[in-house]
Amino acid sequence: AQSVSQHNHHVILSEAASLELGCNYSYGGTVNLFWYVQYPGQHLQLLLKYFSGDPLVKGIKGFEAEFIKSKFSFNLRKPSVQWSDTAEYFCAVTSRDTDKLIFGTGTRLQVFP
Amino acid sequence: GAGVSQSPRYKVAKRGQDVALRCDPISGHVSLFWYQQALGQGPEFLTYFQNEAQLDKSGLPSDRFFAERPEGSVSTLKIQRTQQEDSAVYLCASSSKIKTGTYEQYFGPGTRLTVT
């Protein structure tokens, strides 16, 4: 069965620090990968997605993620975080033979001014 | 509408009561999903509709859970004889495309169910 692991449960950073959130998935076939964000009091929103092609994907608000097939990883990065990036971040995966999203447990990011 | 809407936003039920949670997807979206999000966890898949057809209900935790989408638009998730372990946020998502696995799901705000 597919599964997604997010190793960082809670990350605390100061503004302007760099961010990297880990995501590993377990599935032997072709996958589609997503990062969703949930700001306080808001619903889940898509940050970025990878289906095929260039493994370095750029999303909204300066976020990017790199798909490394050999490591089954899709880590999220941002060079310089802002206070407004405080949120919960979820990595998720689908495969070519299922429509359902499989989510990780999420990473809570707190950014202090 | 502008996005996926869900009602009610909050529901408190006494153990043993039946509840019905409603989802209004984005107009024209053929695919509709239900997820359950327990406190401190990521969302977990419950069921999936394409138009009015329920194509996957493998995530429904028990036969107390039932979902329908009779006209291919609004969907209702019904939980019979609620138990404390049903307490969670129930998320609905919709999507416009049919090609398996390669589209964005748009999420609603969720219904927070508390069973006392």
Side-chain angles (χ1 to χ4, degrees), chain A residues 32 34 36 38 43-44 46 49 51 90 94-101 103-105, chain B residues 33 35 37 40-43 45 48 56 58 91 100-105 107-109:
Chain A
N32 306 300
F34 305 80
Y36 279 85
Q38 188 166 29
H43 55 274
L44 277 167
L46 184 69
K49 59 190 176 187
F51 294 155
F90 294 94
T94 65
S95 67
R96 295 292 169 87
D97 56 4
T98 180
D99 300 292
K100 61 188 179 186
L101 283 162
F103 284 89
T105 53
Chain B
F33 301 80
Y35 295 86
Q37 186 174 17
Q41 301 296 317
F45 171 80
Y48 159 59
D56 187 345
S58 62
L91 298 170
T100 304
T102 59
Y103 47 73
E104 177 180 352
Q105 295 181 27
F107 283 81

Side-chain angles (χ1 to χ4, degrees), chain B residues 22-94:
Chain B
R22 177 187 169 108
C23 172
D24 285 80
I26 294 172
S27 179
H29 278 192
V30 299
S31 299
L32 186 146
F33 301 80
W34 285 98
Y35 295 86
Q36 179 191 59
Q37 186 174 17
L39 190 63
Q41 301 296 317
E44 291 193 359
F45 171 80
L46 293 176
T47 187
Y48 159 59
F49 291 86
Q50 187 170 304
N51 296 305
E52 69 278 3
Q54 190 174 19
L55 298 186
D56 187 345
K57 54 182 181 179
S58 62
L60 296 176
S62 77
D63 58 7
R64 297 186 295 105
F65 286 71
F66 172 76
E68 60 183 4
R69 193 186 185 198
E71 297 178 358
S73 178
V74 171
S75 177
T76 304
L77 176 67
K78 297 179 179 177
I79 309 173
Q80 297 177 323
R81 305 180 304 281
T82 52
Q83 305 293 315
Q84 283 191 319
E85 61 262 29
D86 300 334
S87 296
V89 176
Y90 290 85
L91 298 170
C92 177
S94 71

Side-chain angles (χ1 to χ4, degrees), chain A residues 24-89:
Chain A
N24 287 88
Y25 65 92
S26 103
Y27 182 69
T30 303
V31 294
N32 306 300
L33 296 153
F34 305 80
W35 275 96
Y36 279 85
V37 60
Q38 188 166 29
Y39 298 104
Q42 297 188 27
H43 55 274
L44 277 167
Q45 303 171 43
L46 184 69
L47 260 186
L48 47 78
K49 59 190 176 187
Y50 172 79
F51 294 155
S52 63
D54 187 345
L56 185 61
V57 179
K58 295 192 182 300
I60 60 171
K61 304 187 180 185
F63 286 90
E64 64 178 31
E66 185 175 13
F67 170 52
I68 303 179
K69 189 175 181 180
S70 61
K71 295 184 178 181
F72 297 89
S73 70
F74 190 56
N75 292 354
L76 181 71
R77 299 194 293 250
K78 186 171 183 178
S80 175
V81 294
Q82 301 174 316
W83 176 79
S84 58
D85 293 326
T86 294
E88 185 126 24
Y89 292 80

